[in-house]
Structures are given as structure tokens and as C-alpha cells.
Amino acid sequence: MSDTTTFAPAQTRSNAWLRLSLWVVLFVFAIWFLLPAYVVVGTSLKDLAEIRGGSLLSLPHELNFTAWSHAWSKACIGVTCEGLEPYFWNSVIMAIPSVILSTLLGALTGYALTKWKFRGANIVFALILFGCFVPFQVVILPMAQTLGLIGITNTVYGLILVHTVYGLAFTTLFFRNYYVSIPDELVRAATIDGAGFFTIFRRIILPLSPPIIVVSVIWQFTQIWNDFLFGASFTTGGAQPITVAMNNLVNTTTGVKQYNVDMAAALITAAPTLLVYIAAGRYFVRGLTAGSVKG
Amino acid sequence: MTDRIARVLPQIVVAPSFALILFFVYGFIVWTGYISLTKSKMLPNYTVIGLRPYERLFQMDRWTVALENLFIFGFLFIFVAIVIGCLLAILLDQKIRAEGFIRTIYLYPMAISFIITGTAWKWIMNPSLGLETVIRGWGWESFSFGWTNSETLAVYALVMAAVWQSAGFVMALFLSALRSVDQDIIKAASLDGASPWKIYLRIILPSMRPVFMSAVVILAHLAIKSFDLVVALTGGGPGYSSTLPANFMYEMTFRRNEIAVGAASAMVMLATVAAIMVPYLYSELRGKKHV
């Protein structure tokens, strides 16, 4: 008995140390993760003299949003000096239909593959699934040619097609894995009642789908908004999405380097996906882990 | 008649998606494969010359460097991201107050494009204005952080930024797996007197083999696809010292009028991905049938 009484305080003391070091490690990592955000926001609020004279880590003297408005509406990208705004809208116009189309097609395909198994359904799914992992370098060359043949090279429509097609593999995977866990009896019972393929989809499956629809929409939106390879390969000038335009803005070699405008541009480009992340972070995590091919 | 339509309706519904994937993925792979055997230069040319583009590819120093970089980058990126992600998941699993808040901080980089990550880290690593100056200002005069300007270190700058971006995702993966470990086994082990440390090392982590596998597969796939990070952070330089195969392919195809060589490099990339993915997907899909 006396053994445990002498033992207990020692253990709480060592536990307290463990607890403290645990917090220290978590804190250090939090700083590492937040440092770039702090630096980007801080720099975007300074003027060039303050950037040159001061330190990367110092707080800006005042809240100065001129770099933001410059990046949004005046900065030169290529030969035009209209800021990021038109490219921002390009990305919006590109993302919305591609997200809707790929989610819709993915839901229907996932539903048909799980609830109406036909011969070869598994092979079809395996072939679609592999599409998630194909390095896009292997498709950009023929894609450029195909877009040319259809006559939508260098347009936002071309990018809508590209993102819809290559998002399809992921959305099908999401919906398929989700629908597998919905009991087949539901569908079977409805079939006996005489309900058909689309009636069951509309009345039974869709009402159960909001969680996975959210995951699919968030995943697709971040993927499409953040894409650079397709945008850089298939568009030039005015049709570019914002990631490509931002990169051009930051990596132009002419004139005085405006670091504050560069950082403001980075912030503007990141804002939509960051907002989605803040608003729907929980679902975002689920979308990320859903991408790990876990059933 | 309507009965027959009803019976094939599922196939009809799957058909458009399947057709799109067949054409835009598999058709295009065949197309690129064919181009990689031709004498295409600036424009596709359909005259077959056999494996010569591949020979040229493997004779190019730029490609050798890109492959070596992929090897270094991929290995370090996967290893460090998993170590950090796993560590953070275990630490966060200790009933931490404000866990949700901390998790949010760790994970937000994943929402951001690699282009932005690259731009932000390039600014931090800027030798004349960035962190180097800050730390020298603190009195550590010899401190040097000019990774992006160094032929040997630029690839490590890529690793640093990529780990920053992806470690939180690995953490999320591991955390959700930790939460689904059978609590009874852990209780039994701790009743037997096993220390928490031992429980993690001997019981919990070994039971998470599948999650390690998924993490490796996803990160490997990210590494092979990495393109925008290089564009934004190092521009592939100095010289071409930090290019990756994805950048090589883009450069050859769109800048240097070497379409056949670009296509050949894309096929090599595809073969690498397939070598990792096909066995993994095969075992995943087979395993699922038992459930």
C-alpha cells in the first residue's frame, strides 16, 4: 500500500513534464504551419520601403491594403494590366460547371455500379478508379490536340471539359464507396413496389446523399481551383485561370519586384479554397481521407 | 420492350462516364504511347521510328537529373511527411484540449494550391530579404538559408515545402485510423502493465499497416505528379538542377519542340505510377469483396 502512495506523486510529476513537452511540440508545429500564412499576410500589408528596410517577421506598421487592390485590378499580367480580377472570374466560370457536372455524373455512375450490379460492373469500376492515379502528363498532349479538333483550345470551355472528365474518376470513387454502405434491401424493396431506376435514385438514394455530395463538391472545387498544369497547358492570355495568371504575375522579370503585390496576389488566389476550408473544414477532412481509397 | 430498356438502364447510365474515361484516359494513353514512338518534333508526326525517342530520353542529362531528383524528393517527402504526420496524430490523440483548433491549423495548407505554397516559401527562403536576413539579424551571422539558389539544396527546398503542405493530411489519415483502433485491446494491454509508449509501438502502430500503405501510395502519387511546386518555388533551377520528370515533360512538349521525347517521358512516368498503383488497387479491391 505504501508503495503506491510514494509512487503516485512521482508519476504525476513525470506526467506533468510529458504533458508540457507534448504542448511544446504541438505549439512548435503550429508555428511552423502558420509561419507562411503570417509572412504572406504581413508582407501584403507593407509597402516596399518597409519590406526592404524591415524584417520578414515584423508586424506591418499599419493596415495598408493598396497592394491588395493593386493585385486585384491593376497589376500587369503579360501585356494587360487589369489585375487578377478577370482571371478570378475565369476560374469561377470554369469551376462551377465542372464541379456540378462531375458530381452529377459521379453520383449516377456510383449508384448504377453499386445498386444495379451488372456483368462487368467491377471491371468497369476498376478501370474508372485507375483514372484517379494516371499522371496527367500522359494525357496532356492528346488533350491539346483534341481540344484543337473540337475548336475549344484556349477557352474556359476547354478547361470545363478537362476538369469534368478527369474529376469523374474521383467523384465515381466517392459515391461508389458511399453507396456500397447503403443497404441493398432499400433498393430491393422499392423495386418490388414497382419503382424504377430513376425513381429510386430520386426518392431514396438522393435524400441519403447530402454528406457525400458535400465531400465531392469540396474535393472537386479545391482540385479544380488549385489546378495549374491544365490551365498552363491549354490556355494563354485572357483565358487563363487565376493560378496561372498569379504565377505569371509573380514570376515576371521586368520592372521593380513588388513583393507586397505578389503576396497579395497569392492571398487572393488562395482565398476561395481557404474560405471553403474554414466554412466546411470537417467535411474537407472527410473528403481528403475519402481520397485514400478506404471503403 | 420497356422491360428490356429497364434491364439495360444501369449500363446505359454508366456508359457516358465509362466512355469518357475510356477515351480521355485509356485512348489518350495509347495516343501518347504511339507519339512516343514517332519522329514528332514541334508538331505530332505519325511516322514511326521505334524506340529512338526513349534512347534519346535516357541519354539526356536533364532527364537523368530529373529522375534522380524524383528519387531524392519522393523518398524524403514520403518519409518525412509520414514521420511528422504520424507523430502529430499520436500527440493529438492524447485527449488534447482545443484539438479541433490545432487540427485546423495543421491541415489548412492542404486547401491551398502548390503554386501558392511555392510562392510563399520562395519568399521566406529569399536570401536577401527572407528568413536568412531575419536570423542573421538576431546575431547568428553565418546562418544561411539560400536553398533555392543552390544547385545541391534546391531539391531539399522542394521537400520542405511539400512536407509543409501534406503533413497535415497524413496526420488526418492517421488520426482517423487511431480513433478506430479497438479500445478493448488497449485497455487489456494497459491492465497488463504496458506503458503507453509500448502500446503505441507494439500494438497500435502495427495494426495500422493499411493506413501506412495508403499514405505511402498517395504521397508517392503526389510526388510523381509534382509539377506546380517546382514551377513556383525554384523554377526548376538553378539551371535545371531541381526539375522533376513532370517538369521535364512539360518543357520538352511545349517549349523545346521535342514532342516525341516528352511523350516518352510521360510513358515512363505512367509506368512508374502503374508499378505502384496496380498491385495496390488490386489488393484493395480484392480485399473489399470479403466485407
Side-chain angles (χ1 to χ4, degrees):
Chain A
M1 206 57 218
S2 61
D3 242 26
T4 47
T5 44
T6 51
F7 184 62
Q11 187 162 33
T12 36
R13 205 176 310 136
S14 82
N15 268 348
W17 275 112
L18 265 178
R19 216 59 202 164
L20 185 69
S21 39
L22 175 74
W23 274 102
V24 169
V25 176
L26 288 175
F27 185 70
V28 168
F29 272 103
I31 289 184
W32 182 56
F33 280 113
L34 286 175
L35 176 77
Y38 170 77
V39 167
V40 168
V41 175
T43 307
S44 75
L45 294 172
K46 296 173 182 171
D47 59 32
L48 281 178
E50 200 182 338
I51 291 171
R52 290 243 159 69
S55 149
L56 187 76
L57 298 180
S58 62
L59 277 170
H61 293 320
E62 52 180 333
L63 293 182
N64 175 354
F65 292 97
T66 43
W68 293 29
S69 63
H70 190 87
W72 177 251
S73 56
K74 286 201 281 290
C76 295
I77 294 150
V79 286
T80 52
C81 295
E82 294 168 344
L84 285 173
E85 189 183 350
Y87 306 97
F88 183 91
W89 296 120
N90 280 350
S91 277
V92 172
I93 297 167
M94 164 186 87
I96 291 174
S98 341
V99 169
I100 295 174
L101 278 173
S102 58
T103 299
L104 203 71
L105 274 173
L108 274 172
T109 314
Y111 161 64
L113 283 177
T114 49
K115 296 298 168 229
W116 301 80
K117 285 224 167 85
F118 47 87
R119 267 184 46 160
N122 281 332
I123 296 169
V124 168
F125 176 63
L127 284 172
I128 293 179
L129 183 57
F130 186 66
C132 295
F133 299 103
V134 165
F136 291 135
Q137 281 72 23
V138 87
V139 299
I140 43 180
L141 193 60
M143 193 75 209
Q145 294 240 290
T146 307
L147 290 178
L149 285 176
I150 312 175
I152 50 175
T153 312
N154 204 14
T155 64
V156 175
Y157 304 107
L159 290 181
I160 293 174
L161 173 71
V162 172
H163 287 302
T164 304
V165 169
Y166 295 114
L168 204 52
F170 284 96
T171 56
T172 304
L173 168 70
F174 293 158
F175 283 101
R176 189 260 186 196
N177 283 354
Y178 184 78
Y179 290 153
V180 159
S181 63
I182 293 178
D184 289 345
E185 285 73 26
L186 273 179
V187 175
R188 219 169 294 147
T191 331
I192 292 167
D193 289 345
F197 183 87
F198 285 109
T199 317
I200 294 175
F201 183 66
R202 230 184 23 243
R203 296 278 184 76
I204 298 173
I205 301 293
L206 267 190
L208 292 169
S209 301
I212 197 65
I213 292 177
V214 172
V215 165
S216 166
V217 166
I218 294 175
W219 170 271
Q220 279 300 90
F221 180 73
T222 46
Q223 292 298 306
I224 295 169
W225 189 274
N226 288 341
D227 163 69
F228 179 79
L229 178 65
F230 289 139
S233 304
F234 304 139
T235 57
T236 53
Q240 289 170 342
I242 190 164
T243 45
V244 180
M246 188 218 102
N247 184 59
N248 289 347
L249 166 67
V250 171
N251 286 324
T252 39
T253 41
T254 49
V256 181
K257 196 109 193 68
Q258 292 185 291
Y259 297 109
N260 49 357
V261 175
D262 290 357
M263 292 302 120
L267 265 180
I268 292 171
T269 311
T273 50
L274 276 178
L275 281 180
V276 167
Y277 171 71
I278 291 164
R282 273 181 315 133
Y283 306 102
F284 185 73
V285 176
R286 216 186 298 167
L288 290 176
T289 41
S292 67
V293 209
K294 287 166 52 194
Chain B
M1 190 61 204
T2 45
D3 259 18
R4 269 182 56 195
I5 293 178
R7 220 174 309 135
V8 292
L9 199 54
Q11 276 115 307
I12 296 175
V13 168
V14 172
S17 302
F18 191 52
L20 284 175
I21 300 265
L22 273 188
F23 178 71
F24 284 98
V25 175
Y26 295 94
F28 281 10
I29 289 174
V30 173
W31 193 330
T32 303
Y34 182 77
I35 291 286
S36 76
L37 301 172
T38 62
K39 55 182 191 183
S40 305
K41 285 278 181 193
M42 194 174 100
L43 292 166
N45 175 322
Y46 296 97
T47 321
V48 175
I49 53 166
L51 290 173
R52 249 182 291 158
Y54 289 86
E55 285 168 26
R56 264 180 57 71
L57 174 70
F58 280 96
Q59 281 160 4
M60 289 171 113
D61 185 50
R62 188 182 270 268
W63 174 250
T64 319
V65 169
L67 271 188
E68 276 171 18
N69 281 339
L70 178 63
F71 193 71
I72 300 171
F73 171 78
F75 180 78
L76 277 177
F77 165 56
I78 294 169
F79 182 76
V80 180
I82 286 187
V83 168
I84 292 180
C86 191
L87 174 78
L88 292 178
I90 290 176
L91 293 182
L92 271 186
D93 196 33
Q94 307 307 311
K95 302 192 176 63
I96 293 288
R97 218 179 306 151
E99 183 203 310
F101 180 66
I102 299 174
R103 217 177 37 207
T104 308
I105 293 176
Y106 289 176
L107 203 62
Y108 87 94
M110 200 67 199
I112 299 172
S113 160
F114 267 119
I115 279 288
I116 298 159
T117 302
T119 307
W121 279 100
K122 187 183 190 174
W123 174 232
I124 293 173
M125 295 186 189
N126 182 322
S128 56
L129 291 165
L131 212 56
E132 183 176 296
T133 323
V134 172
I135 292 183
R136 283 187 184 174
W138 288 346
W140 185 358
E141 297 289 345
S142 62
F143 182 82
S144 142
F145 199 33
W147 291 11
T148 47
N149 288 4
S150 150
E151 284 206 6
T152 45
L153 292 177
V155 71
Y156 300 100
L158 295 175
V159 173
M160 169 111 158
V163 167
W164 178 83
Q165 166 117 358
S166 310
F169 166 61
V170 180
M171 177 217 63
L173 260 187
F174 277 105
L175 197 58
S176 68
L178 282 176
R179 294 284 147 85
S180 58
V181 171
D182 188 357
Q183 292 299 317
D184 290 340
I185 300 175
I186 299 171
K187 252 178 228 151
S190 68
L191 281 179
D192 285 346
S195 67
W197 176 240
K198 258 206 181 119
I199 295 179
Y200 271 110
L201 223 56
R202 295 273 171 79
I203 300 172
I204 300 182
L205 289 183
S207 79
M208 294 189 357
R209 269 257 303 276
V211 190
F212 275 102
M213 270 306 289
S214 328
V216 169
V217 165
I218 294 164
L219 295 175
H221 169 250
L222 269 182
I224 294 167
K225 278 216 277 204
S226 286
F227 167 75
D228 18 5
L229 183 64
V230 179
V231 171
L233 183 58
T234 65
Y240 51 81
S241 60
S242 65
T243 45
L244 291 178
N247 304 85
F248 175 94
M249 189 274 164
Y250 188 86
E251 179 82 16
M252 287 302 142
T253 307
F254 294 108
R255 297 266 162 77
R256 291 181 178 243
N257 304 329
E258 290 274 11
I259 284 186
V261 175
S265 69
M267 292 309 284
V268 175
M269 290 174 66
L270 176 71
T272 317
V273 172
I276 302 171
M277 286 301 164
V278 170
Y280 171 72
L281 290 179
Y282 186 71
S283 67
E284 277 274 324
L285 289 176
R286 268 176 60 105
K288 221 165 256 169
K289 275 184 194 146
H290 303 297
V291 183

